[in-house]
Amino acid sequence: MTPVSSHSPHGQSPLRTVQVLGGGNAGSSAHVRSLAAGLVARGVKVTVCAPVEAERAYDFTGAGADHVHVPRSSDPVAVAALRAVCADADLVHAHGLHASFRAVLALGGRRVRTPLVVTWHDRAHAEGPRAHLLRVLERRVMRGATVVLGTTSDLVDRARRTGARDARLAAVALPGPRRPAPGEDPDGVRPKLQAELGATGRPLLVAVGSLERHRGYHVLLDAARAWRRLDPVPLVVVAGEGPLRAALQRRIEDEGLPVRLVGRRDDVTDLLAAADLALLPSRREARSVLAQAALHARVPLVATDAGGIPELVGDAAELVPYGDAEALAEAVVRLLGDPRRRQDLREKGTRQAATWPTEDETVAQVLSVYDELTLPRPFV
């Protein structure tokens, strides 16, 4: 691998980077944490601008970075705070649409242009007037970025159509699984969690993600009606919080569905270790954290064939059309009754996960982009 430099264009001090993160979904926040650790280890100075809640959850300072609280708002106060942090940066790297828009505003009007790298982790979706606003933000960000790194081919293509001058496919690694604590028995996690969740002696199906419309949980509840006929009845556990919690809980109770909403969890890896199947019923996903975690954990996955999921998982999952509750229900019933197919998916998942970039490869790609944008070009 070609070595990459960690020095500024003048070669006198370490490269100074600012990573800008909004509220951050699990994928982008974990990516920034992993990236910060890798960059710091290679001698790069990293400052993460993110809400204080993100620092509490992902401990950027524990990775060796500086953290500056910048709220999610794009109001003048937040933009001014970000502008002050970016004043001494050699390069700014923003993650997600709204964080990237704030970075564009913060860097606007500067006499000396600071390179702006944008990693586009997923598309934001909205309806009505807000949909128009999102399209405006996309165009402003794509045209304001020096380089756009899309986490899927679809996002790279959209970035180019929206006006990006330079859009490339990003290497984005999922941080490695949690290692057992000293004295912890990894084989004891599964029965303990199954007992806690009420899944002892019955199949456990796990879904993870915010309780929002695009996650497809209404389709999941429709499918769960069919699973009540099975013996034993599978238990579906949904880990996440969001605006649809009350409506989903009401349906679960009114219809007597075998589904539990367990809220936001920090032990998703353990939940997957206890699961018989992982479920991903989303209308849209880019580089799904759940899909990656499931394949790494050798848990058979049933997912929709939406967004970047087919590109990510290949033939290592059962894919069904979004919104088709019958197809989702049938795929789950078929897998629960076919241990050979489940084992086949575990083996394919292991092979597919081995094709994904590692954290080191992700950091190396990002550093090569940084060097390209900050190192002086030789005279021809």
Side-chain angles (χ1 to χ4, degrees), residues 75-332:
D75 64 29
V77 173
V79 172
L82 183 56
R83 181 179 294 121
V85 179
C86 294
D88 295 326
D90 297 310
L91 180 142
V92 175
H93 189 164
H95 302 262
L97 180 62
H98 294 284
S100 300
F101 179 65
R102 285 194 289 279
V104 168
L105 294 179
L107 295 175
R110 297 192 62 182
R111 206 174 295 174
V112 178
R113 179 172 174 80
T114 302
L116 172 62
V117 177
V118 165
T119 295
W120 204 4
H121 293 266
D122 197 0
R123 274 196 66 198
H125 284 255
E127 298 176 358
R130 182 166 167 75
H132 173 71
L133 174 61
L134 286 176
R135 287 194 295 271
V136 171
L137 293 186
E138 282 183 4
R139 286 196 296 270
R140 181 76 183 272
V141 167
M142 296 303 116
R143 293 171 182 174
T146 315
V147 172
V148 177
L149 300 175
T151 59
T152 68
S153 299
D154 285 347
L155 289 175
V156 173
D157 291 342
R158 183 172 179 82
R160 289 169 179 158
R161 291 195 306 270
T162 312
R165 292 170 287 170
D166 185 341
R168 313 175 190 181
L169 187 63
V172 177
L174 179 73
R178 182 185 71 85
R179 295 183 179 180
E184 181 182 356
D185 176 14
D187 295 329
V189 170
R190 179 180 172 89
K192 180 181 177 182
L193 265 176
Q194 287 175 331
E196 173 200 326
L197 297 168
T200 302
R202 60 195 295 200
L204 177 61
L205 318 180
V206 171
V208 179
S210 57
L211 306 184
E212 298 178 83
R213 184 74 182 174
H214 74 272
R215 296 288 184 184
Y217 292 131
H218 58 295
V219 182
L220 178 59
L221 296 192
D222 290 342
R225 293 193 193 114
W227 303 330
R228 293 179 298 191
R229 299 193 300 267
L230 301 179
D231 183 20
V233 178
L235 175 66
V236 182
V237 167
V238 180
E241 283 292 353
L244 293 184
R245 184 183 181 104
L248 294 172
Q249 187 63 50
R250 189 160 50 248
R251 272 198 64 186
I252 292 167
E253 294 172 1
D254 290 347
E255 301 174 31
L257 300 176
V259 180
R260 282 193 62 188
L261 306 180
V262 296
R264 188 176 289 109
R265 304 276 297 216
D266 59 6
D267 61 346
V268 169
T269 301
D270 291 341
L271 281 178
L272 286 172
D276 295 282
L277 299 178
L279 307 178
L280 185 61
S282 300
R283 180 177 67 198
R284 56 178 176 83
E285 288 282 347
R287 197 171 180 88
S288 165
V289 173
L290 174 64
Q292 294 175 81
L295 268 59
H296 275 302
R298 292 176 57 83
V299 178
L301 172 68
V302 181
T304 52
D305 57 0
I309 296 174
E311 179 181 18
L312 179 66
V313 303
D315 65 352
E318 289 280 352
L319 298 181
V320 299
Y322 168 75
D324 192 334
E326 184 177 353
L328 175 59
E330 289 177 354
V332 167

Side-chain angles (χ1 to χ4, degrees), residues 25 97 234 278 344 376:
N25 60 29
L97 180 62
D344 179 52

